[in-house]
Amino acid sequence: MFENEVVFTIKNLSAYYGTHKVLENINVEVRKGKITAIMGPSGCGKSTLLRCLNRLNDMIPDFRIEGSILFHGRDIYQIGDVNEYRRKVTMVFQRPNVFPLSVFDNVAYGLKIKGVRDKKILRHKVEEALVKAALWDEVKDKLNKPAVQLSGGQQQRLCIARAIAIEPEVILLDEPTSALDPIATTKIERLLEELAENYTVVIVTHSVGQALRISDYVLFLYEGRLVEYGETSTIAKKPRHEMTRKFLTGKIG
Ligand SMILES: Nc1ncnc2c1ncn2[C@@H]1O[C@H](COP(=O)(O)OP(=O)(O)O)[C@@H](O)[C@H]1O
Ligand SMILES: [Mg+2]
């Protein structure tokens, strides 16, 4: 398959909010078809790094980066059509942000924007996305109900269904389970492992346990610096840095 193929090359990346430097010279290659976890204590720059990957910080006045991020070798800060790019590299947020629409229309939303009008195709693609998001059985009789009536865990899987409906290549998730109970969290973790067979997943997590359970690669940030990056199994057994060891054993963070 795509063993070792690189999706993102993050090169000498620094990031600033005004004069506040929050990422310092990050160099990482993110691999295709893998789950990469970004971990580190609160405020270390995890969300900033993730948001750079689909240029979500563009809207923040005073935000700027130095260095570059290549997506399959192309500098994402040089591309013209950001919306097109964000369909390939899509984001799922910490709190499920379902739209005030029906379950069906939440998933169909992106497809309609893409110009899919045919009702049969829409129905098929919505069902397919809900099946992939492990939600179909729970919602197949409630497709026309408002999405806000679903539980928190179901809403988050609906957001994942909405993301995969548009057939992205990469799914970015920012602490997607932090607002969920343990059972819903387990469901999402199982789901991410399944998705990684077809997508590249980058997930910010505050939870060491979650990073160790689901990720193939882990990237550990501390105060905006990359302390350690590598295969999760290797780092879990033998972290190279004292700081990583402390974080993994709960002594910092
Ligand atoms: N929109 C913003 N404007 C100014 N500073 C910000 C903004 N977002 C984050 N920061 C600052 O950047 C640093 C890193 O934040 P963030 O990337 O959210 O960290 P994490 O996700 O690891 O908690 C923090 O000091 C935070 O206060
Ligand atoms: Mg964050």
Side-chain angles (χ1 to χ4, degrees):
M1 279 229 308
F2 23 64
E3 207 52 39
N4 286 329
E5 188 181 327
V6 173
V7 177
F8 293 110
T9 310
I10 302 170
K11 270 197 196 163
N12 305 325
L13 183 75
S14 295
Y16 303 79
Y17 294 103
T19 54
H20 184 194
K21 192 175 198 175
V22 298
L23 292 176
E24 166 99 48
N25 200 33
I26 308 285
N27 285 284
V28 164
E29 288 183 335
V30 175
R31 307 210 175 269
K32 191 172 171 99
K34 303 287 181 195
I35 301 183
T36 299
I38 303 177
M39 346 183 264
S42 194
C44 70
K46 301 182 295 296
S47 295
T48 301
L49 178 59
L50 191 77
R51 294 161 71 91
C52 283
L53 295 179
N54 84 340
R55 291 186 45 180
L56 217 67
N57 288 327
D58 285 17
M59 268 83 83
I60 299 176
D62 287 352
F63 180 82
R64 71 183 173 89
I65 66 158
E66 288 166 354
S68 57
I69 298 175
L70 310 182
F71 177 65
H72 297 294
R74 282 186 60 204
D75 188 333
I76 66 166
Y77 282 84
Q78 303 293 332
I79 55 177
D81 190 347
V82 179
N83 291 327
E84 169 71 29
Y85 174 69
R86 290 196 187 122
R87 283 198 279 275
K88 287 187 217 149
V89 180
T90 184
M91 176 82 82
V92 173
F93 297 94
Q94 190 162 4
R95 303 216 158 249
N97 60 338
V98 297
F99 301 148
L101 300 169
S102 68
V103 171
F104 184 93
D105 286 337
N106 261 274
V107 184
Y109 189 85
L111 294 164
K112 288 183 179 164
I113 287 179
K114 264 175 89 175
V116 183
R117 288 280 173 273
D118 186 304
K119 285 225 162 62
K120 251 169 107 180
I121 296 178
L122 274 176
R123 220 196 127 82
H124 172 73
K125 295 224 177 228
V126 167
E127 176 172 343
E128 191 179 56
L130 287 167
V131 168
K132 282 190 193 161
L135 189 57
W136 175 250
D137 288 340
E138 291 164 56
V139 301
K140 62 177 189 285
D141 301 323
K142 317 181 182 169
L143 294 176
N144 296 316
K145 292 261 159 63
V148 290
Q149 290 179 4
L150 300 178
S151 71
Q154 289 172 330
Q155 288 188 30
Q156 193 60 301
R157 276 178 285 144
L158 186 65
C159 291
I160 293 173
R162 191 173 65 202
I164 53 191
I166 53 169
E167 295 167 15
E169 183 184 331
V170 181
I171 307 174
L172 310 173
L173 306 106
D174 194 347
E175 305 204 36
T177 61
S178 65
L180 304 180
D181 62 56
I183 293 171
T185 296
T186 304
K187 281 190 185 167
I188 302 256
E189 289 183 2
R190 289 290 86 78
L191 166 61
L192 294 177
E193 286 168 332
E194 278 169 34
L195 291 179
E197 290 169 17
N198 297 298
Y199 305 91
T200 302
V201 174
V202 184
I203 178 172
V204 165
T205 176
H206 192 78
S207 153
V208 173
Q210 181 166 73
L212 298 183
R213 278 193 298 277
I214 66 170
S215 68
D216 302 296
Y217 288 84
V218 67
L219 191 164
F220 177 53
L221 290 180
Y222 190 77
E223 294 180 351
R225 282 165 216 247
L226 178 66
V227 176
E228 194 151 349
Y229 173 59
E231 285 190 63
T232 307
S233 52
T234 311
I235 290 182
K237 264 185 259 145
K238 209 172 182 302
R240 271 171 293 159
H241 294 272
E242 179 63 13
M243 199 72 88
T244 318
R245 197 186 60 73
K246 281 189 174 155
F247 188 76
L248 291 175
T249 54
K251 297 210 172 71
I252 49 168

